[in-house]
């Protein structure tokens, strides 16, 4: 009788452990998917800033002269008073065509409005979550590595928003390459993510 009870108890314990393992695995999967989605969202916000840098950079080079405030307002989609607050205005009331000054002004705008800080804070939260997930169940090890790669790519992307530099051509090439790499990583994560059982 004792032997039967022991076997029965052991069976129930094993079933409970497997159930726990599945629950833990499902939670890990959900957390990993959440991290990948947040990385993609944060990268999309970063991309908006990088695209704006590229637009102002290119326009400043092509303008071959001072840029009227109204023109910069139309180009960026910012209100005229925002342009006047963040961009350098010469004595004639125009913005100098110096792309470096204009990119710096745009960077100051994104700092001043807290958009760069928001992206950095989100990235810090993601980093903390990735650290919590650094002991993946065996079936999630490859996916975890891909998420880690995606995080590293997104950090490079964010660095471009914090410190835009180089030439317009190299900036655009790096921006486009990183954007493609981040999207490719996300798609790969979706493909290799173990299915829910």
């Amino acid at each position: 009788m004792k032997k039967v009870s022991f076997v029965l108890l052991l069976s129930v314990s094993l079933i409970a452990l497997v159930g726990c393992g599945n629950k833990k695995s499902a939670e890990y999967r959900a957390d990993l998917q959440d991290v990948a989605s947040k990385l993609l969202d944060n990268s999309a916000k970063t991309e908006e800033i990088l695209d704006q840098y590229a637009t102002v950079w290119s326009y400043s080079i092509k303008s071959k002269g001072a840029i009227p405030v109204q023109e910069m307002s139309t180009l960026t989609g910012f209100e005229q008073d925002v342009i006047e607050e963040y961009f350098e205005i010469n004595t004639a009331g125009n913005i100098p065509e110096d792309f470096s000054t204009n990119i710096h002004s745009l960077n100051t705008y994104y700092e001043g409005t807290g958009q760069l800080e928001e992206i950095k804070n989100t990235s810090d939260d993601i980093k903390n979550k990735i650290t919590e997930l650094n002991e993946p169940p065996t079936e999630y090890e490859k996916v975890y590595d891909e998420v880690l790669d995606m995080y590293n790519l997104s950090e490079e992307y964010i660095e471009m928003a914090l410190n835009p530099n180089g030439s317009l051509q190299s900036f655009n090439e790096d921006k486009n390459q990183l954007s493609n790499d981040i999207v490719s990583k996300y798609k790969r994560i979706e493909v290799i993510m173990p299915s829910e059982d």
Side-chain angles (χ1 to χ4, degrees):
M1 180 67 181
K2 266 189 174 178
K3 191 175 182 183
V4 172
S5 296
F6 180 72
V7 170
L8 189 60
L9 183 63
L10 187 60
S11 298
V12 169
S13 296
L14 286 174
I15 290 167
L17 282 174
V18 168
C20 268
N22 287 344
K23 185 179 178 199
K24 207 168 189 159
S25 221
E27 283 175 20
Y28 188 90
R29 182 184 198 279
D31 287 345
L32 212 51
Q33 280 180 317
D34 185 52
V35 166
S37 293
K38 283 181 177 165
L39 280 167
L40 193 64
D41 289 346
N42 208 36
S43 295
K45 288 177 186 171
T46 304
E47 187 164 33
E48 288 174 23
I49 293 171
L50 296 177
D51 287 346
Q52 190 77 282
Y53 286 151
T55 300
V56 169
W57 199 330
S58 175
Y59 195 80
S60 297
I61 290 170
K62 290 176 183 168
S63 68
K64 302 208 187 309
I67 304 163
V69 170
Q70 181 57 48
E71 221 171 279
M72 186 61 82
S73 176
T74 302
L75 179 72
T76 59
F78 299 160
E79 296 294 326
Q80 211 165 311
D81 59 335
V82 170
I83 299 293
E84 289 166 354
E85 181 180 349
Y86 288 98
F87 283 74
E88 275 191 35
I89 311 286
N90 63 22
T91 51
N94 295 315
I95 298 163
E97 77 273 17
D98 178 45
F99 70 85
S100 181
T101 301
N102 293 340
I103 294 303
H104 178 74
S105 297
L106 202 50
N107 185 258
T108 302
Y109 163 78
Y110 286 120
E111 279 180 6
T113 57
Q115 292 179 63
L116 289 177
E117 188 173 356
E118 183 186 331
I119 286 168
K120 284 190 289 185
N121 289 342
T122 300
S123 183
D124 288 344
D125 291 344
I126 291 168
K127 180 182 176 184
N128 291 337
K129 193 65 183 175
I130 289 173
T131 304
E132 287 173 21
L133 297 170
N134 74 352
E135 291 180 15
T138 308
E139 69 268 29
Y140 289 99
E141 285 174 357
K142 286 181 182 173
V143 186
Y144 176 82
D145 289 343
E146 294 293 333
V147 169
L148 199 54
D149 287 348
M150 188 178 175
Y151 170 77
N152 291 331
L153 290 168
S154 78
E155 282 296 291
E156 285 182 55
Y157 211 41
I158 290 167
E159 186 56 35
M160 288 183 72
L162 299 175
N163 301 304
N165 58 42
S167 67
L168 177 59
Q169 183 178 345
S170 70
F171 181 84
N172 278 328
E173 285 171 0
D174 291 347
K175 173 176 75 73
N176 294 337
Q177 185 62 58
L178 281 168
S179 176
N180 290 337
D181 290 349
I182 288 166
V183 170
S184 294
K185 276 288 170 198
Y186 184 79
K187 287 179 178 174
R188 179 164 167 71
I189 288 163
E190 284 185 315
V191 168
I192 67 170
M193 182 74 75
S195 59
E196 292 177 272
D197 292 323

